[in-house]
Amino acid sequence: MAIRRLQQVIQSVPTSDGAGVKLRRSIGSQRGLYVDPFLMLDEFSTDNPHDYIAGFPPHPHRGFETVTYMLDGHLLHEDHLGNKGDLKSGGAQWMTAGRGIIHSEMPQQTEGRMRGFQLWINLPAAEKMKPAWYRDIEPHEIAQVQLAHGGTAKVIAGTLDVAGVKTDGPITGRSTEPLYLDVELPPGATFRHAITGDYNAFIYLYEGALTIGAANEARLLKTQCAGVLSHGDEIAATAQGGAARFLLLAGKPIQEPVVQYGPFVMNTREEVEQAVHDYQNGVLAA
Ligand code: CO
């Protein structure tokens, strides 16, 4: 079993999106900085209402999926199809934009902590124009599993295997086969998990410090950094100097050209121009 090495560190950078929501972007913070099929990862984490109160008023997406996972806070989601969802602490929302969605995500609190993540997962060409779909995932639908060597993991997508006992997340059956775990380790504990050898994987560390890789080639990952892993059969990560909390993402690479213009991610420039044109003409999602 080849243990994956920490191959590249992507430091998250402060930015803002929507109507001025402050966040930190790692994957996707520069053009082409993707970990196929993952296009972007944002962390929002603040106790200051001015950093989030304006929210994300109506905006479009085409050609990929968005996954919003809340640690703390309360967001209301609405889309042009009339769907409405309440996103609360510990819950998630999975949205397949497909050919088009116009939605808003607005804070339902005026004080307190807002903390969570938004991940963008690409769709293959054959699925970019499929109808939009979404699912609200209640906190109780996300299993929290005790790990073999200490700590816990929440399974947002894919399958966690702890000593042969398998736990499925609420989202399975996507062509990119994403594994999305939220892992919490006590000081010194090691998390190990098998991952299909040629799937791409990264860890986003949001609390503490981690060493990643086999003992003889372990490298340190610091807080608020994404660590892109080499290919290999297994990941190994150890909490250093205190507890650690991180997201682990892995998925099957799509291996197609990515052309992105803001909220539109297609395969060619012409397709992106078409998306802009469709949005301007009110037929993005028609
Ligand atoms: Co959006």
Side-chain angles (χ1 to χ4, degrees):
M1 291 274 274
I3 296 180
R4 291 174 177 242
R5 285 174 290 103
L6 174 56
Q7 187 171 269
Q8 181 191 5
V9 174
I10 300 170
Q11 167 84 53
S12 65
V13 292
T15 181
S16 71
D17 211 334
V21 178
K22 287 196 180 155
L23 42 84
R24 297 189 71 94
R25 184 164 294 163
S26 49
I27 308 299
S29 57
Q30 290 174 39
R31 188 166 285 273
L33 196 57
Y34 308 129
V35 181
D36 184 11
F38 304 106
L39 299 166
M40 194 187 85
L41 180 68
D42 286 345
E43 174 187 14
F44 42 95
S45 177
T46 176
D47 297 318
N48 179 356
H50 296 294
D51 291 345
Y52 60 73
I53 204 74
F56 301 88
H59 60 277
H61 295 285
R62 174 179 279 181
F64 59 100
E65 307 191 83
T66 70
V67 187
T68 309
Y69 171 50
M70 296 290 284
L71 296 177
D72 298 293
H74 187 178
L75 278 178
L76 186 70
H77 164 266
E78 288 183 85
D79 68 33
H80 77 287
L81 300 170
N83 296 310
K84 235 180 192 191
D86 218 1
L87 201 50
K88 293 193 230 51
S89 299
Q93 189 217 41
W94 197 286
M95 189 185 76
T96 305
R99 67 165 289 129
I101 194 110
I102 298 163
H103 74 159
S104 62
E105 297 142 302
M106 299 304 288
Q108 298 300 296
Q109 62 189 55
T110 53
E111 55 182 42
R113 173 171 270 214
M114 182 74 76
R115 191 178 193 200
F117 304 93
Q118 189 170 83
L119 176 73
W120 288 12
I121 309 177
N122 204 5
L123 286 169
E127 296 181 44
K128 281 186 179 294
M129 294 298 276
K130 70 181 184 183
W133 177 90
Y134 97 107
R135 178 171 163 192
D136 277 316
I137 301 164
E138 298 290 328
H140 68 86
E141 296 179 273
I142 298 175
Q144 185 166 24
V145 179
Q146 212 64 41
L147 297 171
H149 306 289
T152 59
K154 289 186 174 182
V155 191
I156 295 136
T159 303
L160 174 73
D161 183 336
V162 177
V165 179
K166 293 186 175 169
T167 306
D168 283 338
I171 299 288
T172 53
R174 322 309 280 181
S175 56
T176 48
E177 297 184 7
L179 174 68
Y180 187 162
L181 303 178
D182 177 14
V183 181
E184 184 160 9
L185 294 181
T190 297
F191 171 76
R192 297 179 79 105
H193 201 272
I195 292 175
T196 307
D198 56 356
Y199 282 20
N200 289 331
F202 71 93
I203 280 173
Y204 183 77
L205 181 64
Y206 64 93
E207 279 180 24
L210 272 183
T211 48
I212 295 175
N216 61 337
E217 53 182 15
R219 278 182 65 194
L220 186 70
L221 184 68
K222 291 182 185 164
T223 318
Q224 293 187 310
C225 290
V228 183
L229 308 180
S230 67
H231 284 170
D233 309 302
E234 195 182 1
I235 85 135
T238 302
Q240 294 294 336
R245 297 180 75 183
F246 62 91
L247 307 180
L248 169 64
L249 277 310
K252 185 178 181 179
I254 294 171
Q255 296 178 310
E256 290 176 2
V258 175
V259 181
Q260 176 175 4
Y261 178 72
F264 308 122
V265 183
M266 304 301 287
N267 297 109
T268 67
R269 201 183 142 159
E270 290 69 29
E271 288 167 349
V272 165
E273 284 167 1
Q274 186 67 48
V276 173
H277 184 265
D278 287 352
Y279 179 54
Q280 286 168 348
N281 289 281
V283 295
L284 179 83

